Amino acid sequence: MTSGGHGTDGVERRGLMFVLSSPSGAGKTTLSRLLIDRMSGLKMSVSATTRPMRPGEVNGKDYTFVDKATFEAMVKADELLEWATVFDNSYGTPRGPVEAALSAGQDVLFDIDWQGTQQLKHKAREDVVSVFILPPSAGDLEKRLHSRAQDSDEVIRKRMSRASHEMSHWAEYDYIVINHDVDEAFAEVQSILKAERLKRERRIGLVGFVRALQAQLQG
Ligand SMILES: Nc1ncnc2c1ncn2[C@@H]1O[C@H](COP(=O)(O)OP(=O)(O)OP(=O)(O)O)[C@@H](O)[C@H]1O
Ligand SMILES: Nc1nc2c(ncn2[C@@H]2O[C@H](COP(=O)(O)O)[C@@H](O)[C@H]2O)c(=O)[nH]1
């Protein structure tokens, strides 16, 4: 699915799909925003959803907000790379922008649930790097959902009651980060991305680079 771009050292490599999942409120959105602000060559995948817009959210930036009929038409037209029903609403990843970013040599960041992660892995296992974010405690998770102040008490209750089920998928992920402190969790997630960008298997320009080095040494 991915094609090559150039790493910061000039060696061509395949783009990667960097996935963050967690129970609601553990901090994916917070960490995603920091990654997009501070890491070059990384583009956020903007999902389509039928969920109502929260105060402060921007259509086309946080999500593309669509009605159920539009979402169903997108599924039917195979416009979504993956999709799932989460908390009674539909969420999905539009295929076009992801493929365009990967073709342009960028990595793509996804804030999606475990169902979507499974679907991406099924399509392109080698190009998916998945990170599961855990909260330090149930009490912290609940506090964070309340402190975000964007969901009703009933929605928060629903999300808390789903948290254990969401978390039961933790072992399907490549990395686990416990989000005690935002700066520390960000540093950990950033280290994972940096290391994964250097993985030999996705650095398709290395053969040519090493051959050129050898030629220099011989000649
Ligand atoms: N380490 C942390 N310590 C304290 N508060 C945090 C921490 N990380 C995130 N938060 C806060 O917790 C709230 C929930 O975070 P965020 O919206 O990033 O979660 P999320 O995993 O994206 O949730 P959802 O799946 O519902 O979108 C926000 O108000 C955020 O500022
Ligand atoms: N499978 C997918 N899951 C998605 C996508 N976009 C978001 N999500 C997940 O939904 C829940 C709820 O999000 P919220 O913004 O309503 O709090 C959360 O776990 C997201 O990661 C998607 O495109 N596909």
Side-chain angles (χ1 to χ4, degrees):
M1 180 183 294
T2 61
S3 47
H6 283 87
T8 46
D9 54 13
V11 175
E12 194 181 359
R13 71 168 172 81
R14 289 204 316 273
L16 59 85
M17 295 188 264
F18 197 62
V19 177
L20 301 185
S21 298
S22 78
S24 178
K28 299 177 295 295
T29 309
T30 307
L31 294 169
S32 296
R33 287 188 181 142
L34 290 171
L35 279 169
I36 292 295
D37 284 352
R38 299 185 191 174
M39 295 289 284
S40 60
L42 185 65
K43 191 178 180 331
M44 189 79 213
S45 167
V46 179
S47 298
T49 184
T50 61
R51 148 163 100 57
M53 205 188 288
R54 290 187 185 130
E57 284 185 325
V58 177
N59 191 19
K61 181 168 178 278
D62 298 294
Y63 281 102
T64 298
F65 294 93
V66 297
D67 59 23
K68 282 184 187 166
T70 306
F71 194 92
E72 278 162 23
M74 291 169 93
V75 171
K76 219 170 175 185
D78 198 27
E79 286 173 19
L80 300 177
L81 202 50
E82 62 73 33
W83 67 275
T85 303
V86 191
F87 308 121
D88 306 332
N89 291 302
S90 302
Y91 295 81
T93 300
R95 180 191 298 280
V98 173
E99 290 182 349
L102 292 171
S103 299
Q106 285 191 299
D107 297 322
V108 182
L109 176 60
F110 299 81
D111 170 340
I112 60 175
D113 83 331
W114 60 271
Q115 304 173 83
T117 308
Q118 284 185 353
Q119 293 171 49
L120 285 190
K121 284 186 175 168
H122 188 67
K123 287 189 171 139
R125 178 65 191 97
E126 285 172 9
D127 296 323
V128 176
V129 177
S130 61
V131 184
F132 201 86
I133 313 292
L134 288 171
S137 70
D140 282 297
L141 186 66
E142 190 163 10
K143 249 190 257 161
R144 287 178 194 179
L145 283 170
H146 282 289
S147 73
R148 186 164 66 184
Q150 285 182 329
D151 294 307
S152 65
D153 285 352
E154 199 206 322
V155 167
I156 291 177
R157 258 197 308 279
K158 217 180 226 176
R159 288 178 180 235
M160 281 302 290
S161 72
R162 287 280 296 174
S164 176
H165 175 69
E166 295 289 327
M167 261 188 285
S168 69
H169 291 275
W170 68 275
E172 296 162 20
Y173 284 72
D174 301 319
Y175 298 91
I176 310 298
V177 166
I178 302 176
N179 180 14
H180 291 276
D181 172 82
V182 177
D183 293 335
E184 275 171 32
F186 169 71
E188 289 175 0
V189 170
Q190 186 184 39
S191 307
I192 294 167
L193 177 56
K194 284 185 174 172
E196 287 286 344
R197 283 179 165 178
L198 293 175
K199 266 236 170 112
R200 177 170 45 78
E201 295 84 352
R202 53 177 65 96
R203 305 185 79 200
I204 50 186
L206 273 179
V207 171
F209 184 78
V210 172
R211 280 201 188 125
L213 271 182
Q214 287 171 327
Q216 288 166 22
L217 288 165
Q218 282 154 14

